[in-house]
Amino acid sequence: MYTEHTEHTGPAPSRPRLLEPGKNCWRIAPARRFKLLIDADAYFSAVRAAVRQARHSVFILGWDIDSRMRLAPGGAGDGYPEALGDFLNALVEERPQLHVYILNWDFAMLYALEREWPPAYKHGWRKRRRFYFHMDASHPVGASHHQKVVVIDDKLAFAGGIDLTRNRWDTSEHAPDQPLRRDIDDKPYGPFHDVQAMVDAEAAAALGELARERWTRAGCKPALPPNKAKDGDDLWPTGVEPDLGDVEIGIARTEPERDGGGGIHEIRQLYLDAIAAARHSLFFENQYFTSNVLHDALAARLAEDDAPEVVVVSPQNQSGWLEQATMGHLRARIHQRLKAADQHGRYRMYCPQLAGEQDGCLNVHSKVFAVDDHLFCVGSANMSNRSMTYDTECNLVIEAHGDAAQQARIGTAIAGMRNRLLAEHLDVGVETVRQEIDKTSSLHATIAALQSNGRTLIALDPVVLPQIEALMPDKVMFDPETPINPDELIAQFVPGHARKPVPRRLIGLGVFGILLLALALAWRFTPLREWLNLNALIVMARSLETLPFTPLAVMAVYVVAGMLMFPVTLLIAVTGIVFGPFYGALYALAGSLLSALAGFGLGVWLGRETLQQLLGRRVNSLSRRFAQRGIPAMVVIRLLPVAPFTIANVVAGVSHLRLRDYLIGTFLGMAPGIIVTVAFAHNLAEAIRHPSLTTVALLAGMAALLIGMALGLQKLFSQQPRSIR
């Protein structure tokens, strides 16, 4: 029988304990109660109710935290302000003993169009005694603080995949017309699925210790010591029934290498041990599925004669065109390789189909997995390379361990939590899912039996696109397995003693080729966001074409777009489509240079101190690299996506880089990419508008040229001698 620990099958044979502190978890701590909170409506209401009772301390750690978000979109009705920042400020003002600590990831400017801008969060997180807000800049370059942890009075804690930020709230119904699902600007957003866990007692205290350690490592003064009082109010929210009582909670982490010390890879080891231990099934629900090491482990199991079933629930599309063309492509590659390794038809990927939704599938953001009825894990770690080794992550784990009765009790709860997730996606009752699993002894058979024409789980078969596959290596910057070192990256292409331009070092064309193909495929096959709509941009550009001062109008658009952090590559491509390869290249180059000059001027006006407050202390490192290596560094910054276009412009303005060197480096670095972008976009548009053997052959020839250039550049730079240090 498939289920191991239900009342119908009796206890399963005992197995060795999987959780091992120091190997695949940090520690194991007991909890009086554990609750799986499915979707943000359940989480936000629980966290607000718990924080409202705080007397000693509140820690909030997140990838993104927005002071304007509302935990209760329909109105909390508890007498406190609705917005998160105002709510916490009111509590601090009311309670003299309460300290609140907010730790947010520092690279918000990279997501400036999606996040709370610095002036807004400085207002929302008003500085006052006992209220501390810090932007975490302690992670290596390219890494992020990705833990989503809330700890209240060291007695109650939450950990999982949900940030306290915009566009996360939704109910488990995921109704297409949910009136409360609106963003900060009162615009509707799509259905959103995620999971958070709630624990108390010693497990909560352990997460409090983790939060304090993270706070100190971020460069902050030590926080208030833990609350040692064992008495006081029970913070568990009224009306929330736990899924489990008296259970041990494993806490597993990922921390990147830093300061010469080794990283912490407990979550990666936990996944590997769990995959190896599975007897019947592995159930994954995750935003991403791009990890090479997890692929290898799953492929090895799927090749076995008694391979377990592998169920992966994932979103149909990644968020945005760039993620779809990068992380989406990497997922498709992993998926197709696992299909090839699957010798016995045990592996399938699914997405939750929503009834009446034009876009098809639900946006799955959760990070959950279950092994048989033996292990259940929920946390912040995606099934990606960076979550296994590179970002800061925190997962909570439950294992069915102990005597036969204890195993049966915990195993039943684990099966129940997994079945709740399946029931939500299949739009049936939890008992219906349990009965079907008992009947079929198979998760795949259960899903097939309960599928419907409305809301349901449907098979997902992402396809590897050969145009991108030819250019994308196994280890790419979009999902790195090791930290990115900008100094080494620049030094690899620009010797430390170099002070003059290096015009033939054009390896960035390979990168540009990847981005161009990603853009082309996104335009053709995926919907862009409303304000990034290609047709709207083309219509606007064509309206400029009729003006007597077209060149000036186009350049003005580039300057304004640059100041608004608009993707410059998209503008360049639209320019090529509308104005053709010759005038398009001239307009794009002139507009980009003028936009770069405007950003440089803004940096000069802001000054280094102001910019450091906006972008964090890491701006000093980027500024030094500009000043030390002059034109060559500027060329590499433009060729390689070390920093976004606008940020590089402003940082260059506050550095000691001369304006002449800045403009020369920008021209040399951007001109090749602009020419290729404009030509490719123009010919792609022609192939779509007027498909013929000639246009398709021309486009294919350009793609082959890009591939050849990328391979040639790779060979060229592999032969370049390293500089002596």
Side-chain angles (χ1 to χ4, degrees):
M1 207 62 165
Y2 166 74
T3 50
E4 294 184 272
H5 299 294
T6 67
E7 58 183 316
H8 301 279
T9 60
S14 62
R15 60 171 87 184
R17 184 154 199 179
L18 188 143
L19 288 177
E20 183 179 337
K23 180 190 176 189
N24 55 27
C25 67
W26 172 47
R27 65 175 58 174
I28 300 172
R32 287 179 54 212
R33 288 163 291 194
F34 173 93
K35 178 65 177 179
L36 185 70
L37 299 165
I38 300 179
D39 295 309
D41 179 46
Y43 170 43
F44 287 173
S45 61
V47 79
R48 183 172 177 113
V51 170
R52 202 172 59 236
Q53 303 178 69
R55 295 293 183 271
H56 176 267
S57 61
V58 175
F59 286 86
I60 301 177
L61 281 61
W63 181 82
D64 184 24
I65 307 169
D66 197 310
S67 68
R68 304 163 297 173
M69 65 87 62
R70 297 185 171 202
L71 292 166
D78 54 15
Y80 291 97
E82 298 292 340
L84 177 63
D86 294 337
F87 170 60
L88 294 172
N89 271 289
L91 292 176
V92 170
E93 185 174 359
E94 176 185 273
R95 300 168 191 178
Q97 304 302 318
L98 180 62
H99 292 66
V100 174
Y101 303 87
I102 312 289
L103 185 66
N104 197 11
W105 181 38
D106 187 39
F107 251 86
M109 290 301 289
L110 293 176
Y111 293 84
L113 297 175
E114 302 175 5
R115 288 176 172 242
E116 186 174 21
W117 276 62
Y121 71 63
K122 285 188 176 181
H123 172 75
W125 307 117
R126 295 190 298 274
K127 288 188 176 180
R128 63 170 74 244
R129 290 185 60 196
R130 299 177 286 106
F131 194 112
Y132 313 92
F133 175 81
H134 185 74
M135 298 294 285
D136 177 18
S138 66
H139 41 275
V141 174
S144 72
H145 172 70
H146 199 242
Q147 296 166 335
K148 298 97 164 48
V149 176
V150 176
V151 185
I152 304 153
D153 287 355
D154 298 285
K155 294 182 177 180
L156 189 73
F158 303 82
I162 310 179
D163 279 308
L164 300 183
T165 190
R166 61 192 299 175
N167 298 6
R168 299 296 194 270
W169 184 90
D170 201 1
T171 68
S172 292
E173 286 73 29
H174 304 299
D177 55 352
Q178 169 57 254
L180 298 179
R181 200 172 55 234
R182 308 184 77 83
D183 66 11
I184 301 298
D185 301 319
D186 201 37
K187 294 181 179 179
Y189 59 90
F192 192 88
H193 172 73
D194 210 334
V195 174
Q196 199 85 354
M198 178 168 61
V199 296
D200 62 3
E202 292 183 36
L207 287 170
E209 182 179 334
L210 180 149
R212 285 176 174 82
E213 179 183 338
R214 193 71 195 84
W215 179 260
T216 303
R217 179 167 284 186
C220 307
K221 294 181 179 179
L224 196 69
N227 180 17
K228 298 294 186 181
K230 297 190 180 298
D231 55 353
D233 296 333
D234 182 3
L235 302 184
W236 193 269
T238 303
V240 178
E241 290 296 323
D243 292 305
L244 261 174
D246 298 321
V247 61
E248 291 184 326
I249 307 295
I251 303 173
R253 306 164 299 169
T254 297
E255 293 245 358
E257 299 177 5
R258 68 180 90 209
D259 302 326
I264 297 172
H265 306 137
E266 295 158 356
I267 293 176
R268 179 178 65 183
Q269 191 60 50
L270 174 67
Y271 266 95
L272 294 176
D273 292 343
I275 292 170
R279 295 177 178 175
H280 304 284
S281 74
L282 285 157
F283 172 84
F284 301 100
E285 188 178 282
N286 210 282
Q287 177 187 11
Y288 297 130
F289 186 25
T290 59
S291 168
N292 294 318
V293 69
L294 298 188
H295 159 267
D296 293 344
L298 287 169
R301 290 303 316 270
L302 288 169
E304 297 174 2
D305 290 337
D306 58 346
E309 285 190 325
V310 178
V311 173
V312 177
V313 177
S314 185
Q316 184 177 46
N317 298 310
Q318 310 297 165
S319 300
W321 63 266
L322 182 57
E323 276 197 12
Q324 182 61 23
T326 55
M327 299 297 283
H329 179 82
L330 295 176
R331 179 185 66 172
R333 176 192 286 170
I334 294 288
H335 169 71
Q336 294 299 331
R337 289 177 180 176
L338 285 180
K339 283 178 61 178
D342 183 15
Q343 301 295 313
H344 309 287
R346 309 289 284 171
Y347 163 77
R348 280 167 218 164
M349 182 179 286
Y350 302 90
C351 73
Q353 173 76 46
L354 292 174
E357 274 293 284
Q358 184 177 2
D359 293 337
C361 283
L362 176 65
N363 184 0
V364 175
H365 192 263
S366 47
K367 303 94 169 59
V368 172
F369 75 83
V371 180
D372 303 328
D373 297 349
H374 178 71
L375 193 91
F376 192 89
C377 179
V378 56
S380 64
N382 288 302
M383 294 173 67
S384 63
N385 293 321
R386 61 184 310 125
S387 282
M388 298 296 109
T389 59
Y390 194 31
D391 293 338
T392 54
E393 308 283 6
C394 178
N395 282 20
L396 303 184
V397 196
I398 293 173
E399 182 180 13
H401 181 73
D403 59 28
Q406 184 82 334
Q407 287 188 55
R409 180 179 69 87
I410 298 174
T412 299
I414 289 173
M417 290 186 288
R418 179 204 61 219
N419 293 348
R420 280 171 57 199
L421 292 167
L422 284 170
E424 175 180 323
H425 298 320
L426 291 164
D427 198 24
V428 297
V430 178
E431 182 62 17
T432 300
V433 173
R434 186 195 64 77
Q435 290 176 356
E436 195 63 38
I437 290 176
D438 284 350
K439 175 183 175 182
T440 63
S441 301
S442 165
L443 293 184
H444 292 313
T446 294
I447 293 170
L450 298 178
Q451 283 175 326
S452 67
N453 293 325
R455 181 179 174 186
T456 190
L457 279 173
I458 62 173
L460 184 61
D461 188 22
V463 176
V464 174
L465 297 171
Q467 301 95 322
I468 297 181
E469 180 68 9
L471 291 174
M472 189 173 290
D474 281 339
K475 297 179 180 179
V476 294
M477 65 189 70
F478 310 108
D479 189 22
E481 294 181 300
T482 56
I484 299 170
N485 188 322
D487 290 317
E488 290 183 2
L489 183 62
I490 291 179
Q492 183 176 358
F493 305 115
V494 183
H497 61 274
R499 303 296 298 179
K500 297 180 179 179
V502 188
R504 286 192 291 271
R505 298 191 174 193
L506 303 179
I507 193 169
L509 283 176
V511 177
F512 270 116
I514 295 174
L515 294 178
L516 291 172
L517 286 170
L519 276 169
L521 294 167
W523 297 340
R524 181 66 179 88
F525 299 111
T526 67
L528 299 178
R529 294 185 179 180
E530 181 180 348
W531 62 274
L532 280 179
N533 184 276
L534 180 63
N535 291 331
L537 291 174
I538 293 175
V539 169
M540 181 193 71
R542 290 220 161 99
S543 68
L544 299 178
E545 194 177 15
T546 62
L547 298 176
F549 47 87
T550 295
L552 294 178
V554 172
M555 286 187 284
V557 169
Y558 271 80
V559 172
V560 173
M563 293 297 101
L564 296 176
M565 298 278 295
F566 197 89
V568 67
T569 308
L570 185 57
L571 276 181
I572 293 169
V574 170
T575 307
I577 292 174
V578 173
F579 298 106
F582 180 73
Y583 286 107
L586 288 179
Y587 292 166
L589 185 57
S592 298
L593 287 173
L594 192 59
S595 180
L597 182 61
F600 187 92
L602 178 62
V604 173
W605 178 73
L606 286 173
R608 187 172 300 175
E609 183 177 350
T610 302
L611 194 63
Q612 181 175 319
Q613 292 177 355
L614 292 175
L615 299 182
R617 289 169 295 181
R618 272 227 230 64
V619 69
N620 292 334
S621 175
L622 191 57
S623 175
R624 285 194 300 272
R625 287 195 289 277
F626 280 136
Q628 290 170 354
R629 289 168 179 160
I631 295 175
M634 201 67 238
V635 172
V636 173
I637 290 291
R638 294 307 189 192
L639 287 173
L640 302 176
V642 174
F645 179 72
T646 303
I647 291 179
N649 298 338
V650 177
V651 173
V654 303
S655 70
H656 299 290
L657 184 65
R658 290 185 297 177
L659 177 60
R660 185 200 68 177
D661 292 351
Y662 171 74
L663 290 176
I664 292 174
T666 295
F667 175 81
L668 293 174
M670 294 195 69
I674 287 175
I675 293 170
V676 175
T677 303
V678 167
F680 187 89
H682 172 75
N683 284 283
L684 176 65
E686 288 299 308
I688 294 174
R689 283 196 295 257
H690 309 293
S692 67
L693 184 60
T694 302
T695 57
V696 172
L698 183 59
L699 191 63
M702 290 195 65
L705 178 62
L706 283 171
I707 296 171
M709 291 174 66
L711 295 176
L713 288 168
Q714 182 181 14
K715 183 177 180 180
L716 172 65
F717 283 102
S718 66
Q719 297 171 351
Q720 293 288 337
R722 296 275 184 121
S723 60
I724 299 175
R725 301 189 180 186

